[in-house]
Amino acid sequence: MGRSRRTIPEELLLLALDPTTGTTAQPQSLDLGLAGAQLVELALAGRIAPDGDRIAVVAPRPTGDPTLDCALELLRRRGAPVRAVHWIGGPRLGLRQTYLSHLERCGMVAAVPGQMCGVLPTTRYQATDTAISREIRSRLDSAIRTGVPPDPRTAALAALAHAVGLGKHLYPGNEGRSSRSRLRDLIRHDPMGGLVAHAVMDVQNGVAVQPRRNPAPAGRQAAPGGRAVAEPARGVPAQPHRSPMARVVAH
């Protein structure tokens, strides 16, 4: 894989960067989205493929991208297809910072050191080439506005943006409601992107904590003691709790 093309994890992170504050929107769910974006990028590179709700390695040769190759090697070591929710829900410590540091080395963002409350050191990231961010955003806007099925990369990016809750960041307020709805609908245009996006939302909703054992009626799942409870909605990403530190990018 050549480095002339930006990867989906990089584009997702650039979409999440706030140009005013230098922080990332939805930081907790964004970490899940980056792990999912790696799966989509590996699938587009022909290294992995969906196997039901699982991910199977079909070509373990390196891509040339160190971060993607690390993920590919971890998948290969599993020895058997792994459920997407289990992979995305696994520990991914430092993944967001890894990509931020990579974007900084590539000259796409600049690190700006600072302090919170005059004591705690923080690092914010400002985009240095706003044309790149505008191009990424333009692709999403075009897919939403025209209704023309987007290319697989754009469809997957849209699915992940919806899954991590970037809709309100990209298209805020009541005036952005229809755009957010169309962003959600783009999830159907890429099977791998859709699989990963639903897995990201399932992890946020706690569906991946344990497998279901006893099938329940459609739209409901069994609770302890046999009582049926409503299943978390798969079309709407959960909103994780955000602490006062949630908008600090580097920890």
Side-chain angles (χ1 to χ4, degrees):
M1 173 184 297
R3 293 303 298 137
S4 59
R5 183 194 294 270
R6 292 183 303 273
T7 65
I8 293 177
E10 293 165 6
E11 293 195 331
L12 183 66
L13 187 50
L14 286 171
L15 272 181
L17 272 180
D18 189 308
T20 303
T21 65
T23 59
T24 53
Q26 302 293 86
Q28 294 93 340
S29 56
L30 181 61
D31 291 340
L32 301 176
L34 290 173
Q38 287 186 312
L39 294 180
V40 176
E41 191 66 50
L42 287 171
L44 290 172
R47 302 312 196 266
I48 64 175
D51 181 7
D53 66 345
R54 297 175 184 269
I55 304 298
V57 175
V58 294
R61 67 183 183 279
T63 66
D65 181 303
T67 309
L68 289 176
D69 288 341
C70 179
L72 180 61
E73 176 62 14
L74 290 174
L75 285 166
R76 187 194 66 80
R77 288 180 184 176
R78 295 292 183 96
V82 59
R83 289 187 69 202
V85 287
H86 290 164
W87 172 262
I88 291 170
R92 294 291 179 272
L93 296 178
L95 186 58
R96 182 165 25 120
Q97 186 58 52
T98 295
Y99 275 108
L100 282 168
S101 298
H102 169 73
L103 291 176
E104 183 184 11
R105 289 193 301 271
C106 293
M108 285 188 271
V109 302
V112 181
Q115 289 184 328
M116 174 177 281
C117 301
V119 178
L120 298 175
T122 63
T123 303
R124 300 175 184 273
Y125 292 85
Q126 298 286 350
T128 56
D129 190 344
T130 56
I132 293 176
S133 297
R134 287 199 302 268
E135 184 273 330
I136 298 170
R137 175 66 179 271
S138 177
R139 283 162 41 210
L140 285 187
D141 290 346
S142 178
I144 288 173
R145 183 178 63 254
T146 65
V148 176
D151 63 273
R153 300 184 70 84
T154 302
L157 181 62
L160 287 162
H162 166 69
V164 303
L166 288 183
K168 290 185 178 180
H169 168 71
L170 298 171
Y171 307 103
N174 288 332
E175 64 275 15
R177 183 177 300 173
S178 61
S179 293
R180 294 195 298 270
S181 177
R182 295 190 188 103
L183 180 70
R184 179 195 63 217
D185 292 342
L186 290 175
I187 201 170
R188 70 181 187 274
H189 289 295
D190 180 64
M192 185 66 181
L195 168 65
V196 170
H198 281 304
V200 168
M201 291 185 284
D202 281 349
V203 172
Q204 293 180 78
N205 288 326
V207 176
V209 174
Q210 60 183 3
R212 301 171 188 164
R213 295 182 179 180
N214 298 320
R220 303 180 72 82
Q221 65 181 26
R227 181 173 55 86
V229 298
E231 184 179 13
R234 296 188 58 158
V236 180
Q239 296 299 320
H241 173 72
R242 301 183 66 183
S243 70
M245 294 291 290
R247 294 188 63 82
V248 180
V249 175
H251 302 285

